[in-house]
C-alpha cells in the first residue's frame, strides 16, 4: 500500500517560531505525543496561543487496518494512532 | 547530481523546488538563506528547566533527548534571549536592540526567513543545509546536525547556531548565515507500508525533563 494523504485531528499550540505550530495527539496506547510542524501542514493557524485549540494536521497514512493507523508526520516521525482521528479522502 | 545555478532557477520557477521568497541571486551551486526577524531568535531557558528538574529529583540540566516530547519541551523552555541590560554575566546569548549577541559558547535557535523544500507530491530533490565559510571562520556554526531537508517537506528552517570561536558574534535579521545545495534523488519516495517504524515503538515512559 502506498501512503495516502490524510488529516489527523489534534490539538494545536503556538510554537516558539512563527513558521511552525506545535501539535499534540494521543498515540494508540494513550501516551501523549507533541511535535512541531510547519504551519502550512496545520489548520487552523490563526490565533494560536499557549492554550490548545482543536485542529488538524496533514499526515501520510502509511499503514491502517482495524482500529489503528500508522502515520508519518511533518516532523519526520511515525506513530500509531486510533483510526478514529484520521480523516482520509473518500473515507 | 547536484543542481547548478540554471537548474536551481528552473526548479524554483517550475515549483519543484520551494524557496519563498525567491532568492534575489543564486550562487553557482547554492542558494543563501537569511535570518528571520530578531524576534524569531530563541534560547533554552535553562534556569526554568533546571528548576523543574530539581523539583522532580533529577540532575538540574538533564534532558533525555530520545525520550522527550520536543513539542512540549519547546513550548515550555524555548524563550527569547534576555535583553543585554537585563542579562547576567552567565547569559551566553543576549538581545541588543535590533540584533542578538552570541558570546563564546552560546547556543541559539533562529528560523530562516525563507521557506525551503520540495512539494509533497512527486518530489524530485533533496536539500542540504550548510554554513558559509566566511562566517564559519569567526567560529559560527549554523547547523549542528541533520542538515537534510528530505524530499516532500517544506518549511522555515530552524538553524541551530553556536559560537565556537573567541569573539562576541552579532547577528541581525537578514544576515546570510547559511546556504542550501540541492541534489536530485533517483525516484520520489514511495513510503510503502512497513518502511517506517513507529516513533513510539518500544518506548517506555518519558523520563528526564518531562515538561
Amino acid at each position: 500500500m502506498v501512503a495516502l494523504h490524510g488529516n489527523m485531528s489534534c490539538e494545536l499550540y503556538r510554537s516558539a517560531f512563527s513558521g511552525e505550530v506545535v501539535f499534540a495527539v494521543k498515540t494508540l496506547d494513550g501516551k501523549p505525543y507533541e511535535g512541531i510542524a510547519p504551519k502550512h501542514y496545520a489548520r487552523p493557524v490563526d490565533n494560536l496561543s499557549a492554550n490548545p485549540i482543536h485542529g488538524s494536521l496533514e499526515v501520510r497514512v502509511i499503514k491502517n487496518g482495524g482500529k489503528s493507523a500508522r502515520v508519518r508526520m511533518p516532523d519526520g516521525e511515525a506513530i500509531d494512532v486510533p483510526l478514529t482521528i484520521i480523516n482520509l479522502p473518500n473515507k | 547530481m547536484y543542481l547548478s545555478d540554471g537548474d536551481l532557477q528552473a526548479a524554483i520557477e517550475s515549483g519543484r523546488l520551494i524557496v519563498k521568497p525567491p532568492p534575489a541571486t543564486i550562487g553557482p551551486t547554492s542558494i543563501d538563506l537569511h535570518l528571520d526577524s530578531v524576534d524569531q531568535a530563541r534560547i533554552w531557558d535553562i534556569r526554568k528547566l533546571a528548576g523543574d528538574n530539581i523539583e522532580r529529583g533529577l540532575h538540574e540540566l538533564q534532558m533525555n533527548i530520545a525520550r522527550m516530547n520536543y513539542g512540549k519541551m519547546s513550548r515550555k523552555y524555548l524563550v527569547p534571549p534576555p535583553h543585554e541590560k537585563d542579562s547576567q554575566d552567565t547569559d551566553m546569548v543576549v538581545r541588543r536592540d535590533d540584533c542578538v549577541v552570541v558570546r563564546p559558547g552560546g547556543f541559539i535557535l533562529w528560523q530562516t526567513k525563507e521557506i525551503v523544500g520540495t512539494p509533497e507530491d512527486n518530489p524530485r530533490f533533496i536539500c542540504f543545509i550548510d554554513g558559509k565559510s566566511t562566517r564559519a571562520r569567526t567560529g559560527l556554526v549554523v547547523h549542528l546536525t541533520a542538515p537534510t531537508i528530505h524530499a516532500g517537506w517544506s518549511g522555515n528552517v530552524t538553524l541551530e547556531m553556536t559560537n565556537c570561536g573567541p569573539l562576541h558574534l552579532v547577528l541581525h535579521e537578514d544576515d546570510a548565515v547559511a546556504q542550501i545545495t540541492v541534489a536530485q534523488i533517483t525516484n520520489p519516495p514511495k513510503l510503502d507500508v512497513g518502511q517506517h517504524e513507529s516513533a513510539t515503538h518500544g518506548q517506555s515512559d518519558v523520563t528526564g525533563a518531562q515538561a
Side-chain angles (χ1 to χ4, degrees), chain A residues 1-3 5 13 16-19 31-34 36 38 40-41 58 62 70 72 74 77-80, chain B residues 40 42 69-72 75 78 109 111 120-121 152-154 156 158 190-193 196-199 205:
Chain A
M1 175 190 132
V2 178
H5 286 283
Y13 298 83
F17 303 104
S18 66
K31 291 196 169 70
Y33 181 93
E34 286 196 35
I36 53 168
H40 66 87
Y41 289 98
E58 288 181 33
I62 53 180
R70 180 167 295 170
R72 185 172 71 91
E77 299 293 341
I79 58 173
D80 296 318
Chain B
Q40 293 299 307
R42 291 290 183 272
N69 265 306
Y70 174 75
K72 197 170 186 179
R75 282 195 297 118
L78 273 181
L109 300 173
Q111 82 175 12
E120 272 206 273
D121 290 323
W153 186 94
S154 64
N156 300 86
T158 302
K190 286 193 283 187
L191 300 175
D192 281 348
V193 169
H196 297 266
E197 282 295 322
S198 165
D205 288 337

Side-chain angles (χ1 to χ4, degrees), chain A residues 62-86:
Chain A
I62 53 180
K63 182 180 179 181
N64 67 345
K67 296 181 179 179
S68 70
R70 180 167 295 170
V71 297
R72 185 172 71 91
M73 300 168 292
D75 64 356
E77 299 293 341
I79 58 173
D80 296 318
V81 295
L83 192 58
T84 51
I85 70 169
I86 301 297

Side-chain angles (χ1 to χ4, degrees), chain B:
Chain B
M1 286 185 299
Y2 282 80
L3 271 63
S4 56
D5 47 10
D7 293 321
L8 287 169
Q9 182 71 41
I12 293 171
E13 289 173 353
S14 67
R16 292 173 298 145
L17 175 66
I18 298 168
V19 182
K20 294 179 182 176
T25 58
I26 295 177
T29 50
S30 66
I31 298 171
D32 281 351
L33 299 181
H34 304 79
L35 294 176
D36 205 340
S37 159
V38 174
D39 296 330
Q40 293 299 307
R42 291 290 183 272
I43 60 171
W44 290 106
D45 187 346
I46 59 173
R47 292 190 191 92
K48 185 167 191 232
L49 190 151
D52 289 348
N53 269 352
I54 289 169
E55 271 188 28
R56 297 189 186 102
L58 301 170
H59 184 277
E60 57 184 10
L61 293 180
Q62 177 175 321
M63 182 183 286
N64 286 356
I65 60 171
R67 296 184 177 190
M68 63 164 181
N69 265 306
Y70 174 75
K72 197 170 186 179
M73 292 290 290
S74 68
R75 282 195 297 118
K76 198 165 182 179
Y77 299 117
L78 273 181
V79 296
H83 201 280
E84 194 170 32
K85 59 179 171 56
D86 302 322
S87 67
Q88 301 177 24
D89 289 342
T90 50
D91 286 319
M92 310 306 288
V93 181
V94 296
R95 172 81 180 258
R96 181 192 295 162
D97 300 324
D98 66 342
C99 64
V100 171
V101 181
V102 186
R103 296 168 179 162
F107 178 77
I108 185 170
L109 300 173
W110 200 327
Q111 82 175 12
T112 59
K113 183 154 282 188
E114 293 85 358
I115 292 173
V116 180
T118 49
E120 272 206 273
D121 290 323
N122 202 30
R124 304 301 307 214
F125 303 123
I126 193 170
C127 307
F128 301 98
I129 303 285
D130 210 349
K132 294 173 70 69
S133 63
T134 49
R135 315 290 188 258
R137 295 177 190 199
T138 66
L140 181 66
V141 176
V142 297
H143 214 63
L144 291 181
T145 187
T148 309
I149 299 176
H150 289 285
W153 186 94
S154 64
N156 300 86
V157 177
T158 302
L159 296 175
E160 307 125 7
M161 298 188 285
T162 189
N163 181 0
C164 294
L167 308 171
H168 290 209
L169 301 179
V170 181
L171 300 172
H172 294 83
E173 177 180 357
D174 285 328
D175 281 352
V177 298
Q179 58 186 325
I180 56 164
T181 53
V182 181
Q184 186 165 340
I185 56 176
T186 52
N187 288 292
K190 286 193 283 187
L191 300 175
D192 281 348
V193 169
Q195 289 186 358
H196 297 266
E197 282 295 322
S198 165
T200 56
H201 180 72
Q203 182 179 333
S204 59
D205 288 337
V206 171
T207 57
Q210 291 197 26

